[in-house]
Amino acid sequence: MAARELGLRGGTLASVALVGVLAAGGGQALAAVGPSYTAGTSHPRVDPYYPAEGTTGVDVLHYGLNLSWNGDTRRLRGTATIRFRATHLESAVVLDFAAPLDATSVRLDGVARHTTHSGHKLAIETGHLAADSRHTLTITYHGKPKPVTAPTTRRDIPDLGWTVQPTGQAWSMQEPYGAFTWFPVNDQPSDKAFYDISWHTKAAWRAISNGRLVSSTVAGGRRTMHWRLASPTASYLVAVAIGPYHRYRDAGPHGLPIVYWVRDADRDVLPDLRRTPAMIGWLEAHLGRFPFKRIGAVVVPTNSAEETQTMITIGPAVLRERHRGGVVDLLHEYSHQWYGDEVTPNNWKDLWLNESFATYLQMRWEADHGLGSMRQWRRQMSDDDQYLRSKYGPPGDYDRRNFAELDVYYCGARMLDRLHSMLGTMLFAKVLRDWPRRHRFGNGDRRAWINYLDRVTGENLRPFVQRWLNSTSSPS
């Protein structure tokens, strides 16, 4: 997402982008789920900030979603085929599933099961499930989805999840949660899975999602688009946008496929989107090879942006901010493909691990492209550090009612800039590049990152990092 410009006491911090995250330790073991691809084995946990979201009893391996959207009636119909691992001995499975949706049929391994749907929790009576056993849930459902209130005071993201326009077009952005507004899900960042999503809409529309577009066909006045996301993905990073989209192709470094999905009303942002190949090239020079097989962007009617995996979601108003070059948030979201998507959180308290890195990379990119200087950024961050800590909390212990405010961006980025000065350019570059590579497609948290930092540098930097993350007073 993109943080809008805010009037800050003592400084002039520009707007920045928001979205991803970093957390708990290590890469993923892989378990086969089909003939042509695999799904990651995750280690779900209770989130310290939003414990009501997600469950520790289910490790989802793969979501197969077959969905039909009627924009005229605002009704969604779907069948979710969910392959999962029981993490321990279970007699019930609980998934996040919004109240406006109604499950009409639930089967576990082909056998009908009794369910209870209360609030946004769907409890399924499963009988005895052995620890580490694999199962398939098939849930047929329908309803009129709607978004939920975001845990933040940010004006650009008042709601999370399924959003419908007056025309019946729809889209969703769902960080830190909100995927449960449109499909049954273990809606927490520590449970990454693979996805196959088939969308059925009117023929004149296209339904955009992540990964590879396997097929797009039209029959009987309806269009069906099948998307395959064959890299482990957290639920908040799943994209959807439905409307009269047109596809524009591009190519990045080493032939990386790039695609932009834009409606006619937003075609003026195409020149900014077409800066993507150069941006990916700049990021690869700092972070290493792009971690996925493709990248793209879908433009939706929002004032924010999110780093949805391999297909970022961004609003036209964000790209039209010409006084900032119109592309700063775009670069920010692409940097999250390494810091947030390739390595994802196991908890939302460590949002700084995502946003601080993306913000620091954004600053460096701006300085390299004549949109500011690091000297200016250092002065602004120094001016506003105490104000942000006092208003929202320190970046590693922020107020959970103020998710993704500027403290986790700028206070953490200031720490990274100071770390850069301490370590020198070559060692800091190694720290920056190797973390995503060592945790490829996995999760991480501050403990893992600090241990990694100490190993790479040969120093004890824990006191330095903890002070910058947790102090309510601005470090000197």
Side-chain angles (χ1 to χ4, degrees):
M1 304 175 192
R4 311 320 315 135
E5 290 189 15
L6 301 177
L8 297 180
R9 186 179 309 162
T12 57
L13 289 178
S15 63
V16 68
L18 97 80
V19 209
V21 183
L22 235 315
Q28 293 191 334
L30 295 178
V33 299
S36 59
Y37 55 98
T38 57
T41 298
S42 303
H43 303 282
R45 55 175 289 174
V46 176
D47 189 82
Y49 267 31
Y50 308 112
E53 315 307 327
T55 177
T56 60
V58 171
D59 166 23
V60 177
L61 305 174
H62 179 263
Y63 292 93
L65 305 177
N66 190 7
L67 305 168
S68 179
W69 172 245
N70 188 321
D72 296 328
T73 64
R74 311 298 200 266
R75 183 167 291 277
L76 177 69
R77 295 184 179 276
T79 298
T81 302
I82 302 172
R83 294 225 25 213
F84 72 94
R85 177 180 67 91
T87 59
H88 44 74
L89 181 65
E90 292 283 359
S91 60
V93 164
V94 178
L95 294 173
D96 300 292
F97 189 56
L101 303 175
D102 180 36
T104 55
S105 172
V106 177
R107 305 181 76 85
L108 176 69
D109 299 329
V111 179
R113 297 292 180 174
H114 181 264
T115 64
T116 303
H117 193 185
S118 177
H120 69 268
K121 293 292 184 179
L122 179 68
I124 304 160
E125 296 179 7
T126 60
H128 178 87
L129 298 182
D132 205 41
S133 58
R134 267 67 168 173
H135 306 275
T136 300
L137 269 173
T138 305
I139 303 171
T140 301
Y141 65 97
H142 65 89
K144 293 184 176 182
K146 62 180 181 180
V148 294
T149 302
T152 184
T153 55
R154 289 177 46 151
R155 294 188 298 271
D156 62 315
I157 48 171
D159 297 316
L160 298 170
W162 193 268
T163 303
V164 184
Q165 299 301 114
T167 58
Q169 299 172 43
W171 54 276
S172 180
M173 291 199 302
Q174 53 228 8
E175 185 190 2
Y177 50 78
F180 67 80
T181 62
W182 56 282
F183 67 97
V185 59
N186 190 15
D187 209 0
Q188 60 165 278
S190 61
D191 189 2
K192 301 175 80 168
F194 285 177
Y195 289 77
D196 276 273
I197 306 178
S198 290
W199 282 104
H200 309 276
T201 63
K202 64 174 67 176
W205 287 0
R206 288 167 174 80
I208 314 307
S209 193
N210 319 65
R212 179 170 67 93
L213 178 58
V214 177
S215 62
S216 178
T217 58
V218 176
R222 302 285 287 173
R223 182 182 298 273
T224 298
M225 299 182 76
H226 176 197
W227 296 85
R228 173 163 292 171
L229 185 50
S231 54
T233 306
S235 56
Y236 80 96
L237 294 171
V238 178
V240 59
I242 301 174
Y245 282 94
H246 299 283
R247 177 169 55 183
Y248 301 88
R249 300 177 188 269
D250 215 336
H254 45 81
L256 179 72
I258 301 174
V259 64
Y260 318 114
W261 293 93
V262 183
R263 301 174 304 171
D264 283 341
D266 301 321
R267 287 187 63 188
D268 63 297
V269 305
L270 270 171
D272 289 325
L273 291 174
R274 290 197 180 278
R275 296 184 67 172
T276 295
M279 288 182 172
I280 299 298
W282 186 91
L283 286 166
E284 286 195 338
H286 291 80
L287 301 176
R289 181 116 173 180
F290 187 74
F292 305 109
K293 293 184 177 180
R294 55 188 48 81
I295 186 62
V298 58
V299 180
V300 305
T302 178
N303 291 321
S304 193
E306 185 178 349
E307 73 277 21
T308 37
Q309 191 161 311
T310 74
M311 181 69 72
I312 71 166
T313 306
I314 191 166
V318 177
L319 291 165
R320 289 170 183 148
E321 291 179 354
R322 300 301 176 186
H323 66 289
R324 298 181 58 240
V327 291
V328 172
D329 291 298
L330 192 64
L331 184 281
H332 185 105
E333 305 309 333
Y334 287 143
S335 69
H336 276 309
Q337 301 298 308
W338 285 266
Y339 277 90
D341 294 14
E342 184 177 16
V343 188
T344 312
N346 65 18
N347 76 94
W348 286 115
K349 190 172 183 177
D350 282 335
L351 176 61
W352 69 274
L353 258 169
N354 217 35
E355 297 305 342
S356 299
F357 282 87
T359 302
Y360 185 69
L361 286 161
Q362 168 197 324
M363 293 174 179
R364 295 283 300 275
W365 184 87
E366 289 188 38
D368 282 357
H369 291 79
L371 298 177
S373 70
M374 288 307 299
R375 175 180 290 184
Q376 291 172 321
W377 275 118
R378 291 181 185 113
R379 183 172 62 249
Q380 292 175 11
M381 288 190 291
S382 177
D383 288 345
D384 286 298
D385 191 89
Q386 183 59 61
Y387 171 75
L388 292 174
R389 290 173 186 267
S390 298
K391 185 174 178 63
Y392 303 116
D397 194 24
Y398 63 91
D399 185 338
R400 68 195 65 200
R401 298 167 298 179
N402 287 306
F403 179 80
E405 292 287 358
L406 294 180
D407 52 337
V408 296
Y409 294 83
Y410 292 108
C411 298
R414 187 176 178 227
M415 177 190 74
L416 294 176
D417 187 57
R418 191 66 58 86
L419 184 64
H420 187 173
S421 297
M422 291 169 54
L423 299 180
T425 296
M426 290 185 64
L427 184 54
F428 181 78
K430 178 177 177 60
V431 167
L432 195 65
R433 178 185 294 257
D434 284 0
W435 169 258
R437 182 183 301 166
R438 294 191 185 192
H439 294 75
R440 183 167 173 78
F441 298 147
N443 294 84
D445 60 16
R446 76 183 64 190
R447 178 179 173 183
W449 190 77
I450 292 172
N451 289 340
Y452 155 79
L453 182 64
D454 286 351
R455 287 195 305 271
V456 172
T457 64
E459 301 183 31
N460 178 19
L461 293 171
R462 182 177 302 272
F464 167 84
V465 175
Q466 295 287 28
R467 183 173 71 254
W468 276 86
L469 291 183
N470 298 326
S471 177
T472 56
S473 299
S474 180
S476 58

